[in-house]
Amino acid sequence: MKPTSFLLLITLIASAASGQSSRISWSGIASGAGASSGSSLSLRSAAGQPLAGTTSGFFSNPAVGGSSGLFVAIASGWNLVSVPLIVNNYTKTVLFPTATSNAFAYQGSYIAQPVLANGPGYWLRFASAQNSLFSGTAISRDSIPVAAGWNLIGSISNPIATSSIATLPPGIIASSYFAYQRGYSYTQTIEPGRGYWVKTRQAGNLVLSSSPLTDLPPQETGVAPSHPLARLILRDSTGNEQTLYFSASEEVNPADYELPPLPPDGVFDIRFASGSMAAMMDQGIKISGAVYPVYICAEGGGTASLLIDGRETPLSSTHASVVRDPKASVALKLSNSATAPAEFTLSQNYPNPFNPTTTIKFDLPSNTQVTLKLYDALGREVMTLINGFKPAGSHSVTIDGSNLASGVYFYRIYAGPFAQVRKLLLLK
């Protein structure tokens, strides 16, 4: 890079740190053939806001051996980061000289890594917001090894959609993709220089590419669940924020809302005691690394309330509940918790005999996985009536026997520890 270009970059970094807006064309940084006059360098302010009209902080200098550079906005406190370029020195103190912590990778537990690598993601702490500059060779495609369970992955040199990520073998993604920006949140974009969480069903590889992957099977992506659940928004006094979800009636599986592993000690994190972002029943709330007071408000939720040190406070979308003591116990109380059945039951279908429809009712005292199937007199499976997660409460399902022959049938339920079989009769 020419001296004038380097000085110009230093000026831009200083502008970004002070919150000034900066935009410069390729010709101001890159020299030599191959520079695109229609492109621009985009920086972000110290607060993480774009300083130019694009989201990419990538630039290249073809005149200097194909060297490239990348600006990554770093927030004050803990960040999930990665190495988005091939660099000459992967030592943490060289790549992130202003970091105030070890770099922690995840391999079933957190492990301090003095030397980083392309592919993984890392936890790193910084004393103040800043823009980090990487210099090296761009990575347009990478195959990242993953283990069964949660994985902390990195990025390549260009933003890509999670829907463009291929897996080897196919079909191993078991969660949404999560970013961490002052709290965990779903993401559908992998940005250069950042780290992300994803859960897989088995070991394999994630293939990230800035161009279409025509040589690999169709891609898959984790997408944030779209159920219309009520929301809890919890924010500490420094602006860290986490959204949790809840419902006493929606039939959704809290496992779909499973959060990544707890961050290192001292990192802001809020989740239900189950480790999920969602609750279908009364649930404690775990708050870690927050600067008190913590403010809690709701969007939806009916008559749900909070229990703060045993004192019940109705949830509100206009007035926040306040938790001032780090030692306080905090829990969500749902309005219909007291109406859950006392035990598992499977009722006799009605009417019985029937033609052509009949209804089966069952009760669940707790949220659980339910399988309900219909069998003929020889024990052969005829149809699956239910196979999914159900919340505590009373439920029913209707059988349509229009396409079945007259005769004796059996229906069997499995619900957590509960199993029962009943007989029914179809007469036409």
Side-chain angles (χ1 to χ4, degrees):
M1 183 179 292
K2 294 183 178 180
T4 54
S5 298
F6 179 77
L7 291 173
L8 184 52
L9 284 175
I10 297 301
T11 302
L12 286 171
I13 295 172
S15 306
S18 65
Q20 299 175 16
S21 177
S22 302
R23 182 172 184 139
I24 188 165
S25 67
W26 277 100
S27 59
I29 295 176
S31 59
S36 171
S37 61
S39 301
S40 64
L41 169 67
S42 298
L43 301 181
R44 292 177 181 270
S45 72
Q49 300 299 317
L51 294 179
T54 65
T55 58
S56 173
F58 180 73
F59 67 91
S60 64
N61 189 355
V64 187
S67 68
S68 302
L70 184 71
F71 286 97
V72 177
I74 299 294
S76 174
W78 287 93
N79 293 253
L80 284 181
V81 301
S82 61
V83 185
L85 303 175
I86 298 173
V87 298
N88 291 327
N89 191 329
Y90 286 86
T91 305
K92 187 269 292 186
T93 53
V94 172
L95 288 172
F96 298 99
T98 59
T100 59
S101 73
N102 290 323
F104 293 100
Y106 185 78
Q107 299 173 11
S109 60
Y110 292 114
I111 300 174
Q113 299 283 8
V115 179
L116 311 189
N118 301 117
Y122 303 91
W123 283 105
L124 265 178
R125 189 179 188 280
F126 296 82
S128 61
Q130 56 201 267
N131 290 283
S132 289
L133 172 65
F134 294 87
S135 294
T137 303
I139 302 171
S140 61
R141 179 167 173 164
D142 197 7
S143 181
I144 302 176
V146 291
W150 284 101
N151 297 268
L152 185 49
I153 66 167
S155 62
I156 58 176
S157 301
N158 299 92
I160 62 168
T162 56
S163 58
S164 73
I165 298 175
T167 68
L168 297 173
I172 65 174
I173 298 298
S175 75
S176 300
Y177 288 84
F178 285 89
Y180 186 89
Q181 295 177 326
R182 303 177 73 89
Y184 280 127
S185 61
Y186 298 114
T187 186
Q188 296 185 29
T189 304
I190 304 297
E191 295 187 2
R194 302 197 183 279
Y196 299 89
W197 286 101
V198 65
K199 188 177 184 181
T200 56
R201 297 183 179 90
Q202 66 181 77
N205 288 76
L206 305 186
V207 183
L208 283 63
S209 177
S210 56
S211 57
L213 295 168
T214 57
D215 56 332
L216 292 175
Q219 293 78 30
E220 58 177 313
T221 179
V223 178
S226 59
H227 302 291
L229 303 185
R231 303 197 305 164
L232 280 180
I233 298 93
L234 303 97
R235 184 182 296 112
D236 78 358
S237 61
T238 64
N240 294 319
E241 183 176 299
Q242 184 66 58
T243 298
L244 302 178
Y245 303 87
F246 66 96
S247 173
S249 58
E250 291 292 332
E251 297 184 359
V252 298
N253 189 350
D256 293 340
Y257 293 80
E258 181 184 359
L259 278 166
L262 285 167
D265 290 342
V267 182
F268 173 83
D269 181 84
I270 298 179
R271 61 185 64 201
F272 287 113
S274 63
S276 175
M277 296 177 78
M280 305 297 120
M281 58 189 297
D282 291 3
Q283 190 81 226
I285 298 174
K286 297 174 62 176
I287 302 174
S288 306
V291 179
Y292 286 77
V294 172
Y295 302 90
I296 307 174
C297 60
E299 293 181 1
T303 58
S305 59
L306 287 174
L307 294 176
I308 302 176
D309 276 341
R311 181 177 179 180
E312 186 169 350
T313 304
L315 286 171
S316 171
S317 59
T318 57
H319 297 89
S321 299
V322 182
V323 182
R324 302 187 183 278
D325 185 356
K327 297 180 180 180
S329 65
V330 183
L332 174 69
K333 180 180 179 182
L334 298 182
S335 58
N336 72 344
S337 300
T339 65
E343 59 183 3
F344 291 99
T345 61
L346 176 64
S347 301
Q348 183 65 51
N349 64 297
Y350 182 84
N352 188 43
F354 71 97
N355 179 29
T357 62
T358 188
T359 298
I360 298 171
K361 295 183 178 182
F362 59 95
D363 293 333
L364 304 175
S366 60
N367 306 330
T368 189
Q369 182 77 15
V370 175
T371 302
L372 181 61
K373 294 185 177 182
L374 183 69
Y375 300 86
D376 65 16
L378 297 178
R380 296 173 298 193
E381 182 179 324
V382 174
M383 66 176 68
T384 298
L385 303 171
I386 296 176
N387 184 20
F389 187 88
K390 296 292 182 181
S394 297
H395 303 268
S396 64
V397 62
T398 298
I399 297 176
D400 187 346
S402 300
N403 297 324
L404 300 178
S406 296
V408 174
Y409 293 85
F410 299 88
Y411 55 98
R412 173 183 290 164
I413 190 171
Y414 291 100
F418 176 71
Q420 188 173 354
V421 178
R422 287 187 179 274
K423 182 171 66 175
L424 49 74
L425 179 62
L426 172 60
L427 292 178
K428 291 187 174 181

